[in-house]
Amino acid sequence: MKNTSDEPSGLRERKRRETLGRIAEAGLQLFVKKGYEETTLENIAAAAGVSRRTLFYYFKSKEDILLAWQGSGFAQALHPTMLQESPDQFPLDAARECLLKLASRLETKESIAVDGLLRSSEALRARKEAAYVELEHSLLNAMLELWPDPTKRNAHRVTAMVAIGTLRLALESWREEGGQPSLAHHISRHFDLLKHQV
Amino acid sequence: MKNTSDEPSGLRERKRRETLGRIAEAGLQLFVKKGYEETTLENIAAAAGVSRRTLFYYFKSKEDILLAWQGSGFAQALHPTMLQESPDQFPLDAARECLLKLASRLETKESIAVDGLLRSSEALRARKEAAYVELEHSLLNAMLELWPDPTKRNAHRVTAMVAIGTLRLALESWREEGGQPSLAHHISRHFDLLKHQV
DNA sequence: TTTTAATTTTACACTTAGTGCAATAACATT
DNA sequence: AATGTTATTGCACTAAGTGTAAAATTAAAA
């Protein structure tokens, strides 16, 4: 009979998670060491102790093996974290606070390594930009729960776009300046710029 | 001796342009008819009366054949059009005017067809988002020429981000509502929303 | 425990995008 | 006409990704 609970915890599930982890780790390690293009799926499969075909059982593409590391859970945490904000503020201010709380997740070794790799080809750079649009959607959905006014949908879209766009610029600037000072600082400064420009 | 002028106009150049055009048109036509993934480079080469290998002499990838149609020259026109704006306005207002002037370029049959195709796969959707970031850079460069104040670089970045982001949302909304009313109208409305939200 | 069902892993053959290389054809210049 | 330059092609090759079906592993039922 099928197990309908959320998290089955048998041997099968454990091995599954282990294999998934081995593949993701072997992938990231090789990408960092040899470069993304220079690493073949054959390489990853060998390092993970699995057949090439099995890679596609766990990931739908080579890119996905890299993207699995993106943002250290930033994307997953965005929605719930935003929901914790009080609705007694302007949406943009709430978004700002939320992003500040999550900033540390983007300051990890993995995040930085992955970000470097995401610059190494057109296709990967494009994926990175697309990821921001995903964040925008997560943020928008949380906003729609916090301020459930159907007539403000477009306004919220604009707010989410501005907030995530500001995060993107802050990250860029943080990197350009070699991680100095903290990312949170850059985010704050960029949100301040916003008020003066718009 | 080498021809150093900008636009050589011999037989060679004419044929070159013709071949380029044939490939791009054959590609778009087949993509629309059969779908992007379902169209092979073999198909396009045959339809353009050229060898598969020659495709790579003109385009560096299959995606590029499609992306050549993106925006009907919007990207190329952005910089020069922005430069025509008067510096006696707020940068964001100038950007708004500029985008309104260019809006019609996105309302063409080709733009709409390409946009549809760009939704058909993850990789293509990602390319589309990346294209907006390119626009952002073009706009930023023009702004830096119009208001050459090196201390305002980050401010201008924010402005360019907001302007192009607004364009993106306006385009989305315009499409959702079936092209009604004009794109320019949607752009205006979204820029108005901005003032209220930020 | 044995049997049966579901899931995971693998091998193999195949398609297609993209690259390197070198030969040939077409155009341009002297 | 001879020479150089650019465009076109064929061929062989690498690597990503898919379809299929068999084998191995784990879970559940008897």
Side-chain angles (χ1 to χ4, degrees):
Chain A
M1 187 197 161
K2 215 176 273 183
N3 187 337
T4 53
S5 86
D6 285 336
E7 293 187 16
S9 55
L11 169 61
R12 190 167 265 175
E13 188 61 18
R14 202 177 66 233
K15 288 185 83 172
R16 190 184 160 78
R17 286 185 202 284
E18 281 171 6
T19 307
L20 189 81
R22 274 205 324 281
I23 296 174
E25 275 167 34
L28 180 57
Q29 202 176 318
L30 288 170
F31 291 153
V32 168
K33 184 162 70 177
K34 317 201 319 173
Y36 178 80
E37 304 277 4
E38 292 72 20
T39 302
T40 70
L41 293 182
E42 204 84 53
N43 297 151
I44 300 175
V50 94
S51 80
R52 200 181 75 97
R53 197 66 184 76
T54 294
L55 259 42
F56 291 101
Y57 185 81
Y58 285 92
F59 295 91
K60 74 180 204 305
S61 71
K62 182 180 177 182
E63 284 183 353
D64 279 23
I65 298 178
L66 176 56
L67 295 176
W69 291 96
Q70 225 190 13
S72 298
F74 187 97
Q76 297 74 40
L78 181 54
H79 185 110
T81 304
M82 183 64 183
L83 285 183
Q84 288 175 357
E85 289 297 320
S86 154
D88 303 336
Q89 353 172 31
F90 290 116
L92 187 61
D93 292 326
R96 172 185 171 142
E97 288 308 311
C98 168
L99 294 179
L100 284 171
K101 280 173 192 153
L102 291 172
S104 64
R105 302 207 180 217
L106 299 175
E107 290 174 303
T108 67
K109 260 198 190 73
E110 283 90 4
S111 272
I112 296 170
V114 171
D115 190 83
L117 287 165
L118 288 178
R119 295 164 185 278
S120 68
S121 86
E122 290 262 319
L124 289 176
R125 273 191 296 277
R127 284 300 177 110
K128 186 180 149 185
E129 303 309 337
Y132 284 112
V133 178
E134 289 296 313
L135 293 183
E136 213 177 288
H137 287 132
S138 290
L139 183 59
L140 173 62
N141 286 331
M143 288 173 58
L144 290 171
E145 292 184 42
L146 277 174
W147 298 279
D149 181 344
T151 69
K152 293 233 169 70
R153 192 156 215 285
N154 277 333
H156 285 152
R157 278 196 210 191
V158 169
T159 304
M161 176 276 286
V162 168
I164 298 299
T166 302
L167 171 68
R168 171 163 56 82
L169 295 184
L171 262 163
E172 207 175 296
S173 145
W174 175 66
R175 267 178 213 118
E176 281 172 5
E177 310 193 3
Q180 289 292 329
S182 76
L183 174 56
H185 199 267
H186 281 267
I187 294 176
S188 276
R189 289 212 303 108
H190 276 77
F191 268 92
D192 290 343
L193 279 176
L194 209 52
K195 308 273 177 182
H196 298 325
Q197 293 312 111
V198 178
Chain B
M1 187 193 160
K2 215 176 272 179
N3 186 339
T4 54
S5 84
D6 283 336
E7 293 188 17
S9 56
L11 169 60
R12 191 167 263 177
E13 189 61 17
R14 202 177 66 234
K15 286 184 85 171
R16 191 183 158 76
R17 287 184 202 284
E18 280 171 6
T19 307
L20 189 80
R22 270 202 331 276
I23 295 174
E25 275 168 35
L28 181 56
Q29 202 176 318
L30 287 170
F31 291 152
V32 169
K33 184 162 70 177
K34 317 199 322 173
Y36 178 80
E37 303 277 5
E38 293 72 21
T39 301
T40 71
L41 293 182
E42 202 84 54
N43 297 153
I44 299 174
V50 94
S51 80
R52 199 180 76 97
R53 196 66 185 77
T54 294
L55 259 42
F56 291 100
Y57 186 81
Y58 287 93
F59 296 91
K60 75 177 202 306
S61 71
K62 182 181 176 182
E63 284 183 352
D64 279 22
I65 297 177
L66 176 56
L67 295 176
W69 291 96
Q70 224 189 14
S72 299
F74 187 97
Q76 297 75 39
L78 180 54
H79 186 109
T81 304
M82 184 63 183
L83 284 183
Q84 289 175 356
E85 288 297 319
S86 156
D88 303 337
Q89 353 173 31
F90 290 115
L92 187 61
D93 292 326
R96 172 185 172 142
E97 288 309 309
C98 168
L99 294 179
L100 283 171
K101 279 172 193 154
L102 291 171
S104 63
R105 301 206 182 217
L106 299 175
E107 288 174 304
T108 68
K109 258 198 192 72
E110 283 91 3
S111 272
I112 296 170
V114 171
D115 191 84
L117 286 164
L118 288 178
R119 294 164 184 279
S120 69
S121 85
E122 289 262 320
L124 289 176
R125 272 191 296 276
R127 285 300 177 112
K128 186 180 150 185
E129 303 309 336
Y132 284 112
V133 178
E134 289 296 313
L135 293 183
E136 213 177 289
H137 287 132
S138 290
L139 183 59
L140 173 61
N141 287 330
M143 286 172 59
L144 290 171
E145 292 185 42
L146 276 175
W147 298 279
D149 181 344
T151 70
K152 292 234 169 68
R153 192 157 215 283
N154 276 334
H156 285 151
R157 278 196 210 189
V158 169
T159 305
M161 175 277 284
V162 168
I164 299 297
T166 302
L167 171 68
R168 172 163 57 82
L169 295 184
L171 262 162
E172 207 175 296
S173 145
W174 174 66
R175 265 176 214 119
E176 280 173 6
E177 308 191 5
Q180 289 292 328
S182 76
L183 174 56
H185 199 267
H186 281 266
I187 294 176
S188 276
R189 289 212 303 109
H190 276 78
F191 269 92
D192 290 343
L193 280 177
L194 209 50
K195 309 274 178 184
H196 298 325
Q197 292 312 110
V198 178

